[in-house]
């Protein structure tokens, strides 16, 4: 890794999305192993720099992730952080990244490396929110980079699943950039600016209908899924990330650009210590839901193994009772299971509720919400639990061979990692 160390020596770095999981891990390692980095600016959504500094203390440096660096530095930790790190208020969804004039002038004159990790990652996020951050945010960061006087590289964190669904195991997904307007379904040319117009028009319609905040949020979530599905993407998240990549690839010159496409993000493997995680990431919602006894069935590959030798306990210290899971290998099986296990009993409960003048209304509403949640989760995760294609990682492999000290994922014992590192990490840091 000598070349990496050499590159970051005396560099000034801007990190967006710095309160997010990946950015925190990057910042922690950069500060821990690269003490001669010149300055790290963290763009944080806040009303002003004082509020950004507070969020930095509470949401970043105050996390357990930094305890190894804190222990290594001892009483010099605070002064080291003050010297190396500065939190600035801003927002990637705004022009000039939402920076005030003073910070804008300073950063344009100093920044050499930009790591754009800002994103909203919920699969069914509101279309307007996802577009503003994942798509227009990427363009705003690029436009900012073009104005930086000393810029050397822009690294943009995307997702491997911009490829869409992959049901054919013979398909190899190449490490290739998107062309502007490329749609996975050939229904029509994808015009990003037109999509922005459609999104704004839908918002205007909802406002004219005097829809409340909850109704607007639900409608914009549904609208995002509809637009994503129209062009061949399974959800709003990957659709808006793909459009962000299109802007970057099409308009990048003369900025040196790296697009990083991670697959599923889980807890730390070894550094700074095993198992650190913040919140549920991707598959963790399924693991956590099953481990808590709330998820009794799920759509997926029946050969997937989940081992809970160490069940969670209730507040009273009693083990949670986990029913044997039903793994359903197709949509047809899933909907049949729902019909038998939930919908038919729900129909009976509804009838009893009417006969007894609402005596079972709370039970009916609770079960109805569970069915909706289960159905929506299955629909959102379906493209990934049935994902069969292979990702080509030639570029990553070339990079690994060109450096030293990088083991690569081939050395990981995944069963050992999941059982001994990741799931214990979930229990410690994510499951409340």
């Amino acid at each position: 890794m000598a070349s990496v160390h050499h590159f970051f020596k005396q560099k000034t770095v801007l990190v967006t999305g710095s309160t997010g999981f990946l950015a925190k891990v990057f910042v922690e390692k950069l500060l821990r192993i690269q003490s001669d980095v010149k300055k790290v600016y963290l763009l944080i959504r806040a009303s002003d720099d004082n509020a950004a500094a507070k969020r930095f203390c509470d949401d970043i440096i105050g996390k357990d992730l930094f305890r190894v660096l804190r222990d290594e530095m001892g009483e010099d930790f605070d002064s080291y952080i003050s010297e190396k790190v500065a939190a600035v208020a801003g927002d990637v969804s705004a022009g000039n990244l939402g920076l005030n004039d003073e910070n804008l002038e300073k950063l344009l004159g100093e920044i050499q490396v930009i790591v754009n990790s800002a994103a909203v990652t919920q699969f069914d996020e509101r279309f307007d929110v996802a577009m503003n951050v994942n798509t227009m945010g990427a363009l705003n960061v690029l436009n900012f980079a073009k104005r930086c006087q000393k810029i050397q590289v822009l690294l943009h964190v995307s997702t491997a699943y911009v490829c869409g669904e992959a049901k054919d195991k013979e398909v190899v997904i190449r490490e290739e950039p998107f062309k502007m307007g490329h749609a996975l379904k050939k229904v029509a040319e994808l015009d990003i600016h037109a999509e922005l117009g459609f999104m704004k028009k839908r918002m205007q319609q909802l406002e004219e209908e005097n829809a409340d905040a909850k109704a607007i949020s639900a409608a914009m979530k549904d609208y995002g899924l509809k637009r994503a599905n129209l062009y061949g993407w399974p959800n709003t998240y990957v659709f808006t990330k793909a459009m962000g990549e299109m802007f970057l690839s099409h308009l990048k010159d003369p900025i040196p650009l790296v697009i990083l496409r991670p697959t599923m993000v889980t807890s730390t493997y070894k550094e700074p210590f095993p198992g650190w995680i913040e919140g549920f990431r991707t598959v963790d919602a399924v693991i956590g839901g099953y481990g808590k006894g709330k998820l009794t069935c799920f759509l997926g590959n029946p050969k997937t193994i989940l081992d809970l030798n160490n069940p969670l306990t209730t507040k009273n210290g009693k083990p949670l009772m986990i029913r044997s899971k039903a793994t359903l290998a197709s949509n047809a099986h899933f909907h049949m299971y729902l019909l038998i296990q939930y919908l038919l009993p729900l129909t009976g409960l509804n009838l009893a509720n009417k006969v007894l003048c609402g005596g079972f209304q709370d039970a009916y509403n609770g079960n109805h919400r569970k069915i909706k949640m289960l159905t929506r989760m299955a629909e959102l995760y379906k493209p990934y639990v049935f994902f069969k294609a292979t990702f080509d990682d030639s570029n990553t492999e070339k990079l690994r061979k060109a450096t030293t000290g990088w083991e690569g994922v081939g050395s990981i014992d995944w069963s050992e990692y999941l059982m001994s590192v990741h799931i214990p990490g979930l229990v410690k840091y994510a499951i409340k």
Side-chain angles (χ1 to χ4, degrees):
M1 299 290 281
S3 59
V4 179
H5 278 280
H6 178 74
F7 176 78
F8 276 105
K9 187 175 183 179
Q10 290 302 302
K11 289 294 191 302
T12 301
V13 183
L14 172 66
V15 181
T16 71
S18 52
T19 58
F21 176 71
L22 284 180
K24 284 179 193 170
V25 172
F26 168 73
V27 170
E28 189 279 335
K29 184 160 187 176
L30 183 63
L31 293 173
R32 180 165 44 84
I33 71 170
Q34 194 73 41
S35 60
D36 54 4
V37 66
K38 186 174 183 179
K39 195 77 173 181
V40 181
Y41 288 100
L42 305 181
L43 190 76
I44 297 177
R45 289 185 64 184
S47 57
D48 55 36
D49 285 352
N50 288 333
K54 186 177 187 310
R55 283 201 69 190
F56 168 65
C57 292
D58 295 342
D59 299 339
I60 301 176
I61 208 70
K63 297 295 183 180
D64 196 41
L65 175 69
F66 286 84
R67 65 176 161 86
V68 171
L69 178 60
R70 190 181 292 274
D71 290 344
E72 288 178 356
M73 299 293 299
E75 60 184 20
D76 296 328
F77 177 80
D78 290 336
S79 60
Y80 174 70
I81 295 299
S82 296
E83 176 193 352
K84 296 295 183 180
V85 186
V88 293
D91 187 344
V92 297
S93 65
N96 292 327
L97 305 187
L99 295 164
N100 63 37
D101 292 341
E102 182 182 351
N103 285 336
L104 178 62
E105 183 179 359
K106 181 194 300 181
L107 267 59
L108 289 177
E110 295 182 16
I111 295 300
Q112 296 163 285
V113 178
I114 299 176
V115 176
N116 181 32
S117 186
V120 289
T121 58
Q122 187 173 326
F123 288 166
D124 61 343
E125 181 57 87
R126 288 176 51 153
F127 194 38
D128 54 329
V129 174
M131 280 285 281
N132 287 337
V133 177
N134 295 345
T135 304
M136 300 311 296
L139 178 60
N140 290 336
V141 171
L142 177 63
N143 288 336
F144 175 83
K146 288 183 175 182
R147 297 175 60 196
C148 290
Q149 300 160 21
K150 299 178 181 179
I151 192 69
Q152 294 186 19
V153 65
L154 164 60
L155 186 146
H156 173 74
V157 181
S158 184
T159 170
Y161 297 105
V162 290
C163 64
E165 295 189 59
K167 300 176 182 178
D168 187 348
K169 65 181 180 180
E170 303 301 322
V171 170
V172 176
I173 298 169
R174 304 292 177 188
E175 294 178 299
E176 297 173 342
F178 276 106
K179 294 180 180 179
M180 181 61 80
H182 172 75
L184 300 183
K185 276 185 185 175
K186 305 302 179 183
V187 291
E189 183 77 5
L190 171 57
D191 185 329
I192 301 177
H193 293 289
E195 286 302 313
L196 280 169
F198 297 150
M199 178 263 289
K200 292 175 182 177
K201 184 177 180 180
R202 181 67 181 123
M203 280 292 296
Q204 184 179 350
Q205 289 174 342
L206 291 166
E207 290 168 359
E208 290 173 352
E209 294 167 3
N210 294 319
D212 61 22
K214 185 176 181 180
I216 290 175
S217 180
M220 292 309 293
K221 286 185 176 185
D222 290 340
Y223 188 64
L225 290 172
K226 177 183 176 182
R227 300 308 297 178
N229 294 162
L230 174 65
Y231 293 106
W233 279 273
N235 58 61
T236 309
Y237 167 57
V238 292
F239 177 44
T240 53
K241 290 295 283 186
M243 289 190 288
E245 280 199 24
M246 290 177 194
F247 271 143
L248 292 174
S249 298
H250 184 66
L251 301 171
K252 66 181 178 64
D253 293 333
I255 302 298
L257 171 69
V258 177
I259 293 178
L260 182 67
R261 290 175 176 167
T263 53
M264 290 189 180
V265 175
T266 54
S267 56
T268 54
Y269 173 51
K270 287 183 178 179
E271 295 186 48
F273 52 86
W276 188 80
I277 196 166
E278 192 169 49
F280 282 170
R281 320 220 68 83
T282 57
V283 73
D284 297 336
V286 179
I287 296 174
Y290 178 70
K292 286 184 172 183
K294 294 181 178 179
L295 190 64
T296 57
C297 72
F298 199 72
L299 193 63
N301 187 339
K303 294 184 179 179
T304 299
I305 298 171
L306 286 180
D307 186 346
L308 283 88
N309 298 318
N310 298 288
L312 297 173
T313 57
T314 65
K315 292 180 180 179
N316 298 324
K318 295 181 180 180
L320 279 169
M321 299 306 295
I322 309 298
R323 290 195 295 169
S324 177
K325 69 182 183 300
T327 309
L328 307 164
S330 71
N331 262 335
H333 289 151
F334 176 72
H335 288 291
M336 181 61 71
Y337 181 90
L338 277 186
L339 176 65
I340 296 171
Q341 293 289 329
Y342 295 102
L343 293 177
L344 289 178
L346 193 66
T347 302
L349 189 61
N350 188 39
L351 180 61
N353 187 52
K354 290 178 179 178
V355 171
L356 297 175
C357 302
F360 290 95
Q361 190 64 48
D362 289 344
Y364 175 83
N365 290 342
N367 281 287
H368 189 261
R369 283 195 299 269
K370 288 179 182 178
I371 292 172
K372 285 183 66 176
M373 179 273 291
L374 188 61
T375 303
R376 193 171 185 88
M377 277 188 67
E379 192 62 30
L380 289 173
Y381 277 88
K382 183 175 68 174
Y384 310 110
V385 295
F386 289 119
F387 196 93
K388 294 182 179 178
T390 301
F391 288 110
D392 173 22
D393 64 348
S394 301
N395 288 339
T396 304
E397 187 60 17
K398 288 176 184 176
L399 182 62
R400 187 186 68 79
K401 289 180 178 178
T403 59
T404 57
W406 183 4
E407 296 179 65
V409 296
S411 64
I412 298 174
D413 182 332
W414 289 102
S415 296
E416 175 66 18
Y417 162 75
L418 285 170
M419 293 307 305
S420 301
V421 176
H422 182 61
I423 292 179
L426 278 181
V427 174
K428 184 175 182 179
Y429 293 105
I431 296 177
K432 305 299 182 184

